[in-house]
């Protein structure tokens, strides 16, 4: 917890040597100078306190651009403005993400981006396959589908700022991020409204 201006004034006052050159009367020039210096120390101490919050990307405000620079953000898939909360979430996602190629990884990635999707993968039809299964060739084993709602809406977050939109629509960001992070040998398909 940061010390207050009064705390610093008392400390400076106690450190001053006794004597007539440095009077103790609150209306003197010396005491007003101590009061001004105490204010500067209190501001500096307060900023040092907030630096602890800035060291955590989940609570960063002033150092958020530095966190983004370190993590290689903004994501090339992001078009337009992002909310402060979305920017912080992206930094945390890059720092804590381990990557993956499973259904749960891509469903979790979409959830982190604000989308509710399911992932469906396919198998090729073989001699031992059930006759009720669709006839798919061997290339279908490399295809998978991301299924989501027809309209995806991301709403304003309480951590946002006053100049942010109350809601945004669209799936372009989801498609770009998943297409960029999918395994290179696979083909991803997107289907909306069929969830």
């Amino acid at each position: 917890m940061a010390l207050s201006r009064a705390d610093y004034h008392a400390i400076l006052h106690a450190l001053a040597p006794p004597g007539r050159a440095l009077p103790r009367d609150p209306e003197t020039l010396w005491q007003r100078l101590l009061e001004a210096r105490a204010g500067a120390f209190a501001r500096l101490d307060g900023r040092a306190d907030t630096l602890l919050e800035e060291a955590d990307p989940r609570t960063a405000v002033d150092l958020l651009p530095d966190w983004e620079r370190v993590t290689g953000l903004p994501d090339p898939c992001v078009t337009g403005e992002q909310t402060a909360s979305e920017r912080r979430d992206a930094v945390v996602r890059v720092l804590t993400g381990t990557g993956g190629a499973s259904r749960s990884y891509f469903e979790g990635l979409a959830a982190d981006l604000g989308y509710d999707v399911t992932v469906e993968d396919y198998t090729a039809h073989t001699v031992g396959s059930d006759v009720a299964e669709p006839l798919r060739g061997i290339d279908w084993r490399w295809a998978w589908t991301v299924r989501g709602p027809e309209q995806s809406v991301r709403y304003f977050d309480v951590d946002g700022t006053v100049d942010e939109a109350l809601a945004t629509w669209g799936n372009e960001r989801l498609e770009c991020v998943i297409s960029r992070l999918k395994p290179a040998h696979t083909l991803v398909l997107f289907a909306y409204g069929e969830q």
Side-chain angles (χ1 to χ4, degrees):
M1 188 170 106
L3 295 176
S4 69
R5 182 183 195 129
D7 294 334
Y8 275 108
H9 186 262
I11 291 168
L12 291 172
H13 185 71
L15 290 173
R20 292 185 62 188
L22 305 174
R24 306 283 185 193
D25 181 22
E27 297 302 317
T28 61
L29 185 60
W30 172 247
Q31 290 299 322
R32 287 188 283 170
L33 178 63
L34 286 183
E35 184 70 28
R37 288 186 175 171
F41 284 130
R43 279 191 304 278
L44 183 63
D45 198 10
R47 289 297 290 159
D49 246 12
T50 61
L51 189 59
L52 293 174
E53 292 179 11
E54 296 293 325
D56 184 350
R58 295 170 296 182
T59 57
V61 175
D62 295 333
L63 293 182
L64 186 56
D66 289 322
W67 279 109
E68 289 175 321
R69 179 185 49 80
V70 166
T71 55
L73 294 172
D75 191 309
C77 293
V78 173
T79 56
E81 292 293 317
Q82 276 188 294
T83 65
S85 179
E86 287 175 333
R87 291 171 59 200
R88 277 190 291 273
D89 290 346
V91 168
V92 171
R93 188 171 43 255
V94 168
L95 291 174
T96 60
T98 57
S102 66
R103 285 184 199 170
S104 60
Y105 169 72
F106 284 102
E107 289 171 355
L109 177 64
D112 286 346
L113 294 171
Y115 298 93
D116 180 30
V117 302
T118 57
V119 173
E120 176 185 351
D121 55 5
Y122 306 100
T123 56
H125 192 83
T126 61
V127 174
S129 296
D130 186 5
V131 292
E133 289 182 24
L135 293 175
R136 293 190 186 105
I138 197 73
D139 290 337
W140 276 95
R141 64 185 166 173
W142 309 120
W144 50 289
T145 301
V146 174
R147 295 190 182 281
E150 190 168 339
Q151 286 291 334
S152 295
V153 183
R154 292 188 320 268
Y155 293 100
F156 178 77
D157 192 316
V158 293
D159 291 335
T161 59
V162 296
D163 60 343
E164 295 173 4
L166 295 177
T168 56
W169 290 263
N171 300 316
E172 296 83 14
R173 186 169 164 216
L174 171 72
E175 293 182 18
C176 181
V177 170
I178 288 185
S179 296
R180 188 170 49 84
L181 296 177
K182 71 176 182 65
H185 66 283
T186 66
L187 172 69
V188 62
L189 307 168
F190 294 92
Y192 300 107
E194 304 172 19
Q195 210 172 6

